[in-house]
Amino acid sequence: ASETQRAVHLRCDLTLQPADVITKRLLLVGEASSRVTIDCNGATLDGSKDRLNAGQDMIEIRSQQRKDGSWAVPSDIHISNCQINGSVRVIGMGRNGEAKAIRESSLKEGHVARLRQNAPSDIHLENITLNGSGRIPLYLSPGTHDVSLTRSKIQGESVSVAIYMDAESTRNRITHNDIRVTTTHREQIAIDGSSHNIISNNTFGSLSNGGIYLYRN
């Protein structure tokens, strides 16, 4: 990464070598990033404190609004075998429930269906090690659905939680993982008004502030 090139937009498959250290953020934006496979083969995506992208989402999967107001949505993305110092975020119509597009949508009929239709789906993370450095390691923004995290580790530190499933997300799977993030005051997994998720066969640690908490919106 450099001051003028902090990130790269991926629209094709990427295979890394075990010794590679990538300091650019990987952005998968819009429909053009659908059907992309990233195999790190043990390589590191490094957003550590001494790196240019410290504290950033090292992988960002995001829908993109077109000029006519419709949304180009990425789907069917497979990411495996990565060591990630930083965080991963999946974003639909906005980064969180306070985003302008989401607030405006919430005042109109069909809000839940619209959020889900315009959010990324079929995102598969397998054999990932996420080393949090303050930012929430894995954040699924409103409407995100059919995301799976399997056979992975989430560790390090977070000022909030280890995994956050935001409002109207659905059908996400968190299975066969080791989750033990040091948090300042919050639980390991926070689930807002989200439905039909499966959380099974995980090992949890660092539970002094709680394990899995459910919220209504």
Side-chain angles (χ1 to χ4, degrees):
S2 65
E3 288 288 353
T4 57
Q5 293 184 321
R6 289 175 175 259
V8 59
H9 287 255
L10 283 182
R11 300 179 180 88
C12 61
D13 294 344
L14 173 66
T15 302
L16 300 174
Q17 298 303 312
D20 289 341
V21 177
I22 307 301
T23 58
K24 283 186 177 181
R25 300 175 63 221
L26 305 185
L27 308 181
L28 296 100
V29 180
E31 190 175 359
S33 291
S34 293
R35 297 170 295 281
V36 163
T37 295
I38 300 172
D39 186 349
C40 292
N41 279 314
T44 300
L45 307 181
D46 199 355
S48 299
K49 293 179 180 179
D50 60 340
R51 298 291 191 179
L52 189 61
N53 279 318
Q56 299 295 313
D57 300 315
M58 293 307 293
I59 297 179
E60 182 179 290
I61 303 168
R62 172 167 44 91
S63 298
Q64 185 176 43
Q65 192 168 26
R66 301 184 181 98
K67 291 182 179 180
D68 64 1
S70 64
W71 291 83
V73 182
S75 64
D76 191 16
I77 294 171
H78 297 255
I79 302 171
S80 62
N81 308 315
C82 300
Q83 304 283 328
I84 302 173
N85 298 328
S87 53
V88 174
R89 196 173 188 117
V90 184
I91 305 168
M93 294 174 63
R95 290 184 172 273
N96 53 46
E98 287 73 49
K100 181 181 179 181
I102 292 178
R103 290 173 64 88
E104 291 176 350
S105 172
S106 71
L107 302 176
K108 302 173 184 176
E109 187 176 359
H111 171 62
V112 174
R114 183 164 45 252
L115 264 186
R116 293 173 177 172
Q117 179 182 354
N118 295 325
S121 65
D122 293 313
I123 312 299
H124 305 284
L125 308 171
E126 183 175 7
N127 193 27
I128 300 292
T129 298
L130 266 172
N131 296 300
S133 56
R135 194 167 171 80
I136 295 173
L138 178 60
Y139 197 116
L140 306 184
S141 295
T144 300
H145 56 99
D146 296 292
V147 174
S148 66
L149 176 74
T150 58
R151 299 194 306 111
S152 297
K153 295 180 181 179
I154 303 185
Q155 54 198 28
E157 302 176 350
S158 172
V159 297
S160 181
V161 299
I163 299 174
Y164 197 110
M165 296 185 194
D166 214 327
E168 320 304 353
S169 57
T170 187
R171 299 196 306 271
N172 301 300
R173 299 174 64 92
I174 309 296
T175 63
H176 298 94
N177 304 291
D178 188 283
I179 302 167
R180 52 183 73 246
V181 173
T182 301
T183 65
T184 55
H185 64 286
R186 291 198 60 177
E187 65 277 12
Q188 293 296 301
I189 298 182
I191 304 175
D192 277 9
S194 180
S195 61
H196 304 293
N197 302 297
I198 294 176
I199 302 174
S200 66
N201 294 294
N202 300 288
T203 299
F204 287 88
S206 301
L207 289 166
S208 58
N209 293 320
I212 303 171
Y213 284 14
L214 311 178
Y215 299 87
R216 61 182 292 177
N217 297 84

